[in-house]
């Protein structure tokens, strides 16, 4: 069996390349241990590499910045068995103001759009907190403003079965799998917002509420496969981002999880979602993939 694992930033986004390379390494090692041969794109034209390699693969997974993920996922869908989120749902999640409006319409708490005063300014299709800042200024092209929410920065890592796309073949009705509840380390420095890694497998007194909110948000937007939901836990659980792809918390989760992420992703893509996984304690990870067991 041949697996195509394609991570865009490794060759094409220096700011996010260490994080991307760490995720790719974890996934590659897991697929190799699970009996797969693995191919990855070479440097150059990423789209051309996907079109060249995807017809050769039995399964494929692509990780890319939000605004590119939909079109690259479509290439995999057309040529092999995509074990990630569907391309249309990737595109939906990437449009943050629109996705937030959909979540709010379903009763999920999200930060409100703010057009004046001090606010969080972020890219409409950004990733990795790049260019995010807290300021009283007009958003630039491709940016928008949201209210600043006080609270704990957390995320939930999920694997969701297939229920859109070729769901007629693989829909099983099994609920999403919770891999881990994670704490995020966010630094605020002179108004700039920087993501510095996090901690996986954390306990929390509001765990059930946080997880239920994350699952509802991810399923409302049609995510399947690996999904990471970023939240702020304050007076409510506010969903700030839904990532329809593996996120950097994967590096920490894989270090303490007994199961193989490769096997989970392939099985879930065919409707066979495990009920649970087993984490051997907690781990801390940073953006370049360094993991410390706690």
């Amino acid at each position: 069996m041949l697996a195509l694992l394609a991570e865009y930033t490794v060759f094409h986004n220096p700011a996010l390349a260490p994080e991307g390379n760490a995720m790719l390494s974890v996934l590659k090692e897991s697929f190799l241990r699970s009996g797969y041969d693995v191919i990855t794109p070479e440097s150059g034209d990423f789209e051309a590499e996907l079109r060249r390699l995807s017809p050769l693969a039995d399964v494929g997974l692509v990780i890319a910045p939000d605004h590119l993920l939909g079109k690259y996922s479509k290439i995999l869908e057309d040529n092999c068995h995509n074990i990630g989120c569907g391309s249309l749902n990737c595109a939906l999640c990437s449009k943050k103001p629109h996705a937030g409006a959909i979540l709010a319409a379903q009763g999920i708490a999200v930060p409100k759009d703010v057009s004046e005063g001090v606010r969080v300014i972020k890219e409409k299709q950004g990733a990795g907190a790049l260019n995010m800042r807290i300021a009283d200024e007009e958003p630039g092209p491709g940016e928008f403003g949201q209210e600043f929410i006080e609270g704990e920065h957390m995320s939930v890592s999920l694997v969701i079965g297939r229920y859109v796309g070729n769901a007629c073949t693989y829909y099983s009705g099994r609920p999403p799998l919770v891999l881990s509840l994670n704490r995020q380390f966010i630094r605020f420095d002179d108004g700039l917002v920087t993501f510095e890694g996090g901690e996986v497998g954390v306990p929390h007194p509001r765990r059930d509420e946080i997880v239920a909110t994350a699952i509802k948000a991810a399923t409302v937007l049609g995510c399947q496969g690996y999904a990471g939901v970023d939240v702020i836990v304050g007076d409510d659980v506010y969903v700030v981002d839904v990532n329809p792809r593996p996120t950097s918390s994967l590096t920490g989760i894989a270090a303490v999880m007994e199961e193989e992420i490769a096997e989970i992703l392939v099985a879930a893509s065919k409707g066979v979602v495990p009920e649970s996984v087993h984490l051997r304690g907690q781990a801390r990870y940073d953006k370049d993939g360094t993991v410390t067991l706690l």
Side-chain angles (χ1 to χ4, degrees):
M1 296 286 284
L2 186 62
L4 167 61
L5 303 177
E7 209 292 328
Y8 177 86
T9 68
V10 170
F11 293 117
H12 301 284
N13 190 325
L16 296 175
E19 185 177 342
N21 190 60
M23 289 188 287
L24 179 62
S25 296
V26 166
L27 286 165
K28 183 176 181 180
E29 291 167 5
S30 183
F31 273 89
L32 291 172
R33 287 192 298 267
S34 299
Y36 287 81
D37 294 319
V38 175
I39 52 176
T40 59
E42 299 174 0
S43 59
D45 188 323
F46 190 76
E47 181 173 340
E49 282 291 277
L50 290 182
R51 295 190 185 280
R52 178 177 71 89
L53 295 173
S54 56
L56 307 176
D58 297 292
V59 298
L61 177 65
V62 62
I63 305 173
D66 293 356
H67 66 290
L68 299 172
L69 187 58
K71 75 170 185 175
Y72 291 150
S73 296
K74 182 64 167 63
I75 295 173
L76 264 61
E77 290 172 353
D78 289 343
N79 292 287
C80 67
H81 181 71
N82 176 32
I83 61 174
C85 189
S87 57
L88 289 176
N89 301 95
C90 288
L92 174 59
C93 291
S94 76
K95 297 175 174 60
K96 298 183 188 300
H98 186 49
I102 292 173
L103 296 179
Q106 295 299 315
I108 297 170
V110 298
K112 296 176 183 176
D113 289 355
V114 176
S115 58
E116 60 182 17
V118 176
R119 54 208 188 269
V120 179
I121 297 175
K122 59 198 292 187
E123 295 180 356
K124 292 180 179 179
Q125 293 184 296
L130 290 180
N131 303 318
M132 189 182 299
R133 58 201 183 276
I134 301 172
D136 182 359
E137 62 183 52
E138 285 300 309
E143 296 181 330
F144 72 114
Q146 286 185 322
E147 66 175 327
F148 177 78
I149 303 291
E150 292 277 3
E152 297 176 88
H153 293 262
M154 310 288 290
S155 72
V156 181
S157 301
L158 304 167
V159 176
I160 304 171
R162 190 172 298 277
Y163 61 100
V164 296
N166 55 344
C168 292
T169 304
Y170 296 119
Y171 177 75
S172 65
R174 295 192 183 187
L177 166 68
V178 180
L179 294 177
S180 174
L181 174 62
N182 318 305
R183 178 169 289 108
Q184 295 184 323
F185 300 143
I186 307 294
R187 179 163 56 91
F188 300 92
D189 185 11
D190 256 355
L192 294 178
V193 181
T194 305
F195 172 70
E196 296 189 325
E199 185 177 323
V200 305
V202 301
H204 197 283
R206 296 172 66 181
R207 174 188 170 86
D208 290 349
E209 180 187 1
I210 297 167
V211 167
T213 300
I215 288 175
K216 183 175 180 180
T219 52
V220 161
L221 295 177
C223 295
Q224 52 195 31
Y226 199 111
V229 182
D230 299 337
V231 303
I232 297 176
V233 182
D235 60 323
D236 206 337
V237 177
Y238 295 86
V239 174
V240 294
D241 208 0
V242 178
N243 302 289
R245 52 172 172 76
T247 63
S248 57
S249 59
L250 172 62
T251 58
I253 294 169
V256 296
M257 187 171 68
E258 295 180 5
E259 293 79 4
E260 290 290 351
I261 189 61
E263 295 174 6
I264 290 172
L265 291 175
V266 173
S269 75
K270 299 179 180 179
V272 187
V273 185
E275 292 184 2
S276 63
V277 294
H278 303 86
L279 303 184
R280 301 182 299 268
Q282 298 170 231
R284 185 168 296 168
Y285 66 94
D286 61 25
K287 292 193 299 183
D288 66 7
T290 300
V291 176
T292 304
L293 300 181
L294 301 177

